[in-house]
Amino acid sequence: MSPPGPQDPRETLTRLPKALQFPLTLFTGKALPGQAAPGWTPTLHLATALSSVVAGVLVGTLGYALGGGWPLLLIPGWAITLHGMRNLRMMTYHQCSHRNMYRRRKLDRFIGHGVSSLLIIQNFQRYSREHVKDHHAAGHMTLKDPTVQAFLVSLELHPGMTRRRMWRRVLGKLVSPRFHFAFAVSRARSFWSESARSEKVCALVLYGGAVAATVLTGTWPALLLIWFVPLVPLFQVSNTLRLCVKHTFPEPGVEIRHGREYFSSLTNAIFIGDPAPSAGLPAGRRLAAWARWTLRLVFVHAPCRYLVLTGDTVVHDYHHRYPAAPDWANYIFARQQDIDAGHQGWPPYHEVWGLVPAISHVFDSLSRADAQEYDINRLKAVSKRELFAAFDD
């Protein structure tokens, strides 16, 4: 008999009290076998995302208005606002583009127009068309895929680079004013070009009104700090890190580039957290292990889950198997239910634990990828600015 494999990190957490199991499922992104879905709805996700944006703005405004040491409230305000923005983008806008939010075309389009106008991202019509045509079709993870183009052109990563070099390049861009300025300009261009009249009008009313009101009242610095900090640099950092875990590159020499086996191999679930410390450790070492586990939970994993791998992004592999799943709102539980049912007609799911290991996993796949297949010189008429529109899926 072969030795047993490592225990599932989520299973180790079942040693914690039963009352913590549902919160741990939400935090890690992985449900337990047979765990019942909570009955979430699209409206709940939309409402909580908008509420998060409003709450973050209110917290930031309070800190700015009180002065003294209270401006420190800007930090949690930014985090709460960013969380709501990312959920609006990664769940609401994404599902609307698949006509799967409410499964009502006009309503989904109306919501999509509102989100694009608020966040200044690629306009709804173009995103919907390119996302389905180039990201969910035969061109997935080829030079036609905007995700691949973003890696090669915008992040300047290519096959043969070491993992360490890729990390240095990406981290360098995340702190580069030039990178963020180009990103922001490209977002505005990709929003305005081909956008519907309703999107343009909504954006002009929202931002024209906000700028005019704050300039007239002398409160424009508050607008910059409270709204534009999470909207531009923080949103773009989260966006870029999310890009780096979306999909792996195919192994060189793979000849069959179609079918469920192939496409499922390009997407992993990204779960958050560490295994629970072993119950067999001596008391002193066990206490130290739990202290370390708690510190990592709070200061490493929580920011990753709350600010980068928000909402259903942890189980993106389920979406690529079932892009029009009617129960998408219960994403975590729907994936586990599919596993419990034997993932009919599909190969087993894959998973990686932790944001940093997940990024390294993708970088390693790009490092091994076929240099000729992913030769940047084969790209035709590519605009760097437009490529930033491809950073989300």
Side-chain angles (χ1 to χ4, degrees), residues 72-88:
L72 288 174
L73 285 176
L74 284 169
I75 297 174
W78 290 337
I80 299 168
T81 304
L82 178 61
H83 177 75
M85 288 176 170
R86 294 299 294 163
N87 277 339
L88 281 174

Side-chain angles (χ1 to χ4, degrees), residues 34-48:
Q35 191 170 22
W40 291 333
T41 64
T43 300
L44 174 67
H45 289 302
L46 176 60
T48 54

Side-chain angles (χ1 to χ4, degrees), residues 133-156:
K133 178 183 176 182
D134 297 326
H135 188 67
H136 272 274
H140 182 50
M141 292 309 287
T142 69
L143 286 180
K144 295 180 181 179
D145 191 333
T147 297
V148 172
Q149 295 174 358
F151 267 96
L152 300 180
V153 179
S154 303
L155 292 183
E156 300 179 284

Side-chain angles (χ1 to χ4, degrees), residues 299-377:
F299 295 107
V300 177
H301 297 307
C304 293
R305 180 70 169 111
Y306 192 70
L307 302 176
V308 180
L309 291 170
T310 60
D312 63 355
T313 57
V314 286
V315 291
H316 193 56
D317 55 349
Y318 177 77
H319 168 72
H320 270 265
R321 295 184 184 217
Y322 307 104
D327 196 30
W328 70 266
N330 292 286
Y331 47 90
I332 295 174
F333 304 90
R335 180 185 186 272
Q336 185 58 47
Q337 289 167 1
D338 190 43
I339 294 173
D340 294 342
H343 47 82
Q344 300 299 317
W346 287 88
Y349 282 90
H350 309 278
E351 64 189 56
V352 181
W353 281 80
L355 177 64
V356 171
I359 293 175
S360 294
H361 181 66
V362 172
F363 285 172
D364 290 346
S365 73
L366 176 56
S367 181
R368 296 190 303 267
D370 188 325
Q372 184 175 357
E373 178 180 358
Y374 294 104
D375 182 359
I376 192 173
N377 296 314

